Amino acid sequence: MKNTDAVQAFLALGQESRLNVFRLIVQRGDVGLTPSQIIEKLGIPNATLSFHLKELVHANLLLVERQSRNLIYRPNAKLVQNLSEFLLENCCGGKDCGTVKVVKRSKSV
């Protein structure tokens, strides 16, 4: 993956509403969602949603398919996988990272 492709994807996801739309669509996987379903779930106005969907499609994060009168938006799984691999490419200096422990800090009194 080229740096410019990664930057384009991250810029598209760098806006809260777009990130929420993308995450919602990812949850549905290859089933996808129509704009009306997204509006119902997130309450984003139609014109605003159209703008955000266009940006996500332009960044290749979403695929769109017309089914009769409906547009179905699905995540571009290949790009998401490539983006994950790009981020982890040099993780841990090329060594196996193993399982990362998450340590919760308790509030001090």
Side-chain angles (χ1 to χ4, degrees):
M1 172 173 267
K2 297 178 191 174
N3 283 352
T4 54
D5 296 332
V7 167
Q8 186 176 16
F10 289 127
L11 285 173
L13 294 172
Q15 200 280 338
E16 186 175 6
S17 293
R18 278 195 292 276
L19 180 60
N20 289 337
V21 168
F22 180 73
R23 292 184 72 204
L24 179 64
I25 292 171
V26 165
Q27 290 172 13
R28 292 297 303 260
D30 63 352
V31 173
L33 287 168
T34 64
S36 60
Q37 291 171 315
I38 298 168
I39 290 168
E40 184 180 306
K41 296 274 188 192
L42 299 179
I44 297 172
N46 193 20
T48 304
L49 179 61
S50 292
F51 172 76
H52 291 315
L53 289 170
K54 181 185 72 137
E55 292 294 313
L56 291 167
V57 169
H58 180 71
N60 291 320
L61 288 162
L62 295 181
L63 304 173
V64 61
E65 176 188 348
R66 180 171 290 282
Q67 289 183 355
S68 84
R69 292 183 177 190
N70 295 316
L71 294 175
I72 308 294
Y73 290 88
R74 294 182 179 91
N76 182 348
K78 181 74 172 161
L79 181 81
V80 174
Q81 180 68 38
N82 289 345
L83 196 55
S84 296
E85 290 169 3
F86 175 81
L87 288 173
L88 297 173
E89 191 172 283
N90 297 312
C91 182
C92 301
K95 298 176 186 171
D96 182 23
C97 295
T99 306
V100 177
K101 279 188 173 180
V102 176
V103 179
K104 290 187 178 181
R105 293 182 182 202
S106 61
K107 294 183 180 181
S108 49
V109 179

